[in-house]
Every structure is written in structure tokens, then in C-alpha cells.
């Protein structure tokens, strides 16, 4: 799978894990001891935040803009401090859905190389590109062995399939494997064997083609619904793949918590933006996901959101 995305690795440079969350935990145990600082995109994957806190890490936030992580902020942070690593999701970023372009990836890799900063690239939705041409992972350009890539089958096939992997230089993999052995004598070998057979049979590629069609239609339904029903002042990302979209609302609509309660009363559930930040933000933000909703449900959800927001704004 890594070679299919332009990354040249050997079996000795890959470690199989119980999903991407397990892989991230292993990386933190290896590279970032308690009290260490790490640089992280803001907003970021919601389940990563409590993991960072569990490890007693200081989180240095790097804002995510329309084109990806703000590299000017990252450069200033790394000039003043020495983070143990930078955690990034450059493809279909969770929660914003933003995908960085080739130039941004080259600048980021160059910055990390110059600073000696390990780059942890979370490619959890790498396979879910269904609009336009794919951009290769940062790991594909990693000539100096500074990038640790996290992959998973769980988000593409189904969440209960806890099979993920790490791709990194062999010396790093050996350290990660030693730590993995202390905590987990063996993964789910049966699930791994099934995933391996599914890929070898060609079934995985056929499955990807089917799900790409399904999610392309769902994302189109979401974008169309937002354009049709959102009131003035609402802004949203326009992902080229993945499952998530980021919705920003005007402060006049009310607090994020009050809006979330209003949406639930009006029969629509979205994820509050506060789940994806380490600190509260003044403007209400929400993540919308198409992972478990049909096109009809997405259209109805947009209508309900529009009515609810209109009422909140007094429109």
C-alpha cells in the first residue's frame, strides 16, 4: 500500500499496529517523554488530544488555514523551542478536510529537515481521494528518514478492523517494536491475515472503487446542501476526499454549546469544534461527517441546520 502511494519501503521499515491510534501512542512513547513539547495542528484529530495529555505533553498549536498548517507559525515555534515532533494530517485533515498541495509539503519537509524535527504524518484517510489528482504523501519525499508515516485500514474498510501500520527508518522501527512488545505481545493476527488476503486478492482495490463513488456522491450532496441552506456569514471547507468538512459560523449565531443544543433539539447531530482544540475558541465551529449518512440524510441534515441557524440568527 505504501508503494502504491509513491513510498519506497521494505518490510523491515514497516511495523503493523492495532490501528493508527495505537501507532501514534507508540510514537509518543518513543519520541516524547512526559513534559516534552510537541507541535500539533490546530484544530486536530479529537482522539489525539487526550492521548497527548495522557502522556503529559506540552502542546504547541500550529493553526490550520485553507492551505494547511501555518508554516510561519511552525518556524517561529521551532526557533524558540525544541518540540519532540510535529504531528500533521496533510491529506483530508481531520477535522477540517483540508489537503495540502505539493509545494506546501515540500516547504514543511524542508523546515523539519533544517530543524531536525521528526515529522509524524498521519495518513489515516490517504486512500479516500475521489476528486481530482492525488498528492503523494510527504513520506514519499523523505530522503533523510525524518518522516514517520501512520496508516490504517480501519477508516476505509470498517472501524472494527483494528489493523494499522507505521512506516519509518529501520532503526526507528526497531525501537518502536521493542516498546510494542512490552505493552502488547501480539496483535490480532487473524485480522491482519484477513487484511493481507483481501489486498492480495484484488478485493481491496475493487472495494476502494466502489466506496469512492459512494462518498463522492455524499460529499457532493453535502456541499450542495450547504450552498442551498446555509445563511449568510457561514463558511465551510470544500474537501477533495475523506469524510469530514469544517463549518465556521458567525459569532452572532450564539455560543458553540448553545448552537449544539439547538441543533440536537432540531434533529441534527454534528461534532462541536471544541472537541478538536486544546483551548476554547470564541467563534462557533463544527465538524460535519458523511461517514454514516446517506445522500438523503445529508440533504435533510443541511435543511435542518439551515432552519436552526436561521432561527438562531433571527433570520
Amino acid at each position: 500500500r505504501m508503494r502504491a502511494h509513491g513510498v519506497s519501503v521494505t518490510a523491515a521499515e514497516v511495523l503493523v499496529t492495532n490501528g493508527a491510534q495505537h501507532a501514534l501512542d507508540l510514537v509518543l512513547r518513543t519520541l516524547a517523554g512526559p513534559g516534552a513539547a510537541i507541535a500539533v495542528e490546530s484544530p486536530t484529530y479529537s482522539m489525539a488530544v487526550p492521548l497527548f495529555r495522557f502522556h503529559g505533553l506540552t502542546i504547541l498549536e500550529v493553526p490550520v488555514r485553507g492551505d494547511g498548517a501555518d508554516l510561519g507559525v511552525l518556524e517561529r515555534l521551532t526557533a524558540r523551542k525544541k518540540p519532540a515532533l510535529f504531528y500533521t494530517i496533510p491529506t483530508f485533515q481531520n477535522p477540517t478536510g483540508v489537503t495540502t498541495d505539493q509545494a506546501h509539503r515540500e516547504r514543511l519537509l524542508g523546515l523539519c529537515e533544517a530543524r531536525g524535527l521528526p515529522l509524524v504524518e498521519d495518513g489515516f484517510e490517504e486512500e479516500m481521494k475521489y476528486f481530482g489528482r492525488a498528492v503523494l504523501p510527504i513520506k514519499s519525499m523523505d530522503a533523510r528518514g525524518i518522516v514517520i508515516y501512520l496508516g490504517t485500514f480501519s477508516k476505509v474498510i470498517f472501524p472494527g478492523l483494528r489493523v494499522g501500520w507505521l512506516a519509518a527508518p529501520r532503526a526507528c522501527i526497531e525501537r518502536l517494536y521493542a516498546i510494542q512488545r512490552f505493552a502488547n505481545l501480539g496483535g490480532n493476527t487473524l485480522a491482519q491475515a484477513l487484511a493481507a488476503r483481501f489486498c492480495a486478492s484484488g478485493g481491496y482495490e475493487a472495494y476502494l472503487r466502489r466506496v469512492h463513488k459512494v462518498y463522492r456522491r455524499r460529499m457532493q450532496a453535502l456541499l450542495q446542501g450547504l450552498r442551498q441552506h446555509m445563511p449568510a456569514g457561514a463558511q465551510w471547507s470544500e474537501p477533495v476526499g475523506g469524510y469530514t468538512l469544517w463549518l465556521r459560523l458567525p459569532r452572532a449565531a450564539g455560543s458553540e454549546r448553545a448552537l449544539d443544543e439547538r441543533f440536537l433539539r432540531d434533529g441534527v447531530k454534528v461534532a462541536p469544534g471544541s472537541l478538536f482544540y486544546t483551548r476554547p475558541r470564541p467563534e462557533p465551529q463544527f465538524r460535519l461527517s458523511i461517514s454514516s449518512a446517506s445522500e438523503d440524510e445529508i440533504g435533510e441534515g443541511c435543511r435542518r441546520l439551515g432552519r436552526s441557524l436561521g432561527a438562531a440568527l433571527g433570520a
Side-chain angles (χ1 to χ4, degrees):
R1 294 316 306 171
M2 295 304 301
R3 289 170 180 162
H5 293 285
V7 181
S8 178
V9 291
T10 66
E13 295 168 313
V14 174
L15 177 64
V16 178
T17 65
N18 296 328
Q21 184 83 357
H22 177 215
L24 179 58
D25 179 58
L26 287 174
V27 170
L28 296 177
R29 290 174 186 270
T30 304
L31 297 183
I38 61 170
V40 176
E41 291 174 335
S42 181
T44 190
Y45 172 47
S46 63
M47 293 304 293
V49 174
L51 185 61
F52 299 150
R53 288 175 173 155
F54 172 78
H55 283 284
L57 304 174
T58 299
I59 302 172
L60 308 176
E61 295 181 319
V62 180
V64 174
R65 307 181 306 185
D67 61 348
D70 190 325
L71 299 186
V73 171
L74 179 61
E75 187 169 18
R76 291 191 293 273
L77 281 175
T78 54
R80 300 196 315 267
K81 303 181 180 182
K82 182 64 176 177
L85 58 88
F86 176 49
Y87 173 66
T88 180
I89 310 174
T91 304
F92 322 134
Q93 200 258 2
N94 189 356
T96 64
V98 168
T99 296
T100 62
D101 62 19
Q102 179 67 20
H104 186 281
R105 296 177 187 218
E106 290 174 4
R107 291 197 305 272
L108 173 57
L109 181 59
L111 172 59
C112 290
E113 288 176 343
R115 296 281 197 254
L117 177 64
L119 177 60
V120 180
E121 179 180 14
D122 192 338
F124 79 110
E125 286 186 355
E126 196 79 56
E127 309 274 31
M128 292 303 294
K129 171 74 173 179
Y130 41 75
F131 291 130
R133 296 179 61 185
V135 186
L136 293 179
I138 301 171
K139 182 65 177 169
S140 68
M141 303 181 288
D142 182 28
R144 299 187 185 180
I146 203 167
V147 180
I148 299 174
Y149 182 96
L150 316 183
T152 183
F153 288 112
S154 306
K155 292 293 189 295
V156 181
I157 301 178
F158 60 90
L161 182 65
R162 307 308 303 165
V163 178
W165 67 91
L166 286 150
R170 183 169 182 169
C172 182
I173 291 294
E174 290 173 352
R175 290 179 60 194
L176 289 162
Y177 175 65
I179 292 173
Q180 184 189 49
R181 290 281 292 173
F182 291 136
N184 181 12
L185 293 178
N188 188 335
T189 309
L190 178 59
Q192 294 171 18
L194 288 169
R197 178 170 292 189
F198 191 39
C199 289
S201 70
Y204 184 61
E205 287 288 354
Y207 171 79
L208 278 178
R209 289 192 291 271
R210 292 198 299 273
V211 298
H212 282 179
K213 292 177 182 178
V214 170
Y215 285 103
R216 183 186 302 117
R217 292 194 297 265
R218 288 185 184 182
M219 186 61 77
Q220 288 171 333
L222 178 56
L223 292 170
Q224 182 179 350
L226 292 176
R227 295 180 191 122
Q228 185 175 354
H229 298 290
M230 284 299 100
Q235 298 178 323
W236 55 88
S237 58
E238 299 209 1
V240 294
Y243 303 104
T244 63
L245 177 149
W246 194 241
L247 178 65
R248 297 177 182 269
L249 301 174
R251 294 189 190 182
S255 72
E256 186 175 283
R257 181 174 180 179
L259 282 171
D260 189 42
E261 292 172 352
R262 176 186 285 274
F263 294 157
L264 286 171
R265 289 196 303 270
D266 291 340
V268 61
K269 183 174 177 60
V270 293
S274 57
L275 297 175
F276 306 91
Y277 285 106
T278 60
R279 294 177 295 174
R281 293 300 191 274
E283 66 276 5
Q285 303 173 57
F286 294 89
R287 189 193 73 170
L288 280 59
S289 173
I290 60 171
S291 63
S292 58
S294 68
E295 293 170 59
D296 289 342
E297 289 170 331
I298 290 168
E300 178 60 24
C302 289
R303 284 190 286 273
R304 294 183 186 184
L305 272 178
R307 287 197 302 267
S308 192
L309 276 173
L313 290 165

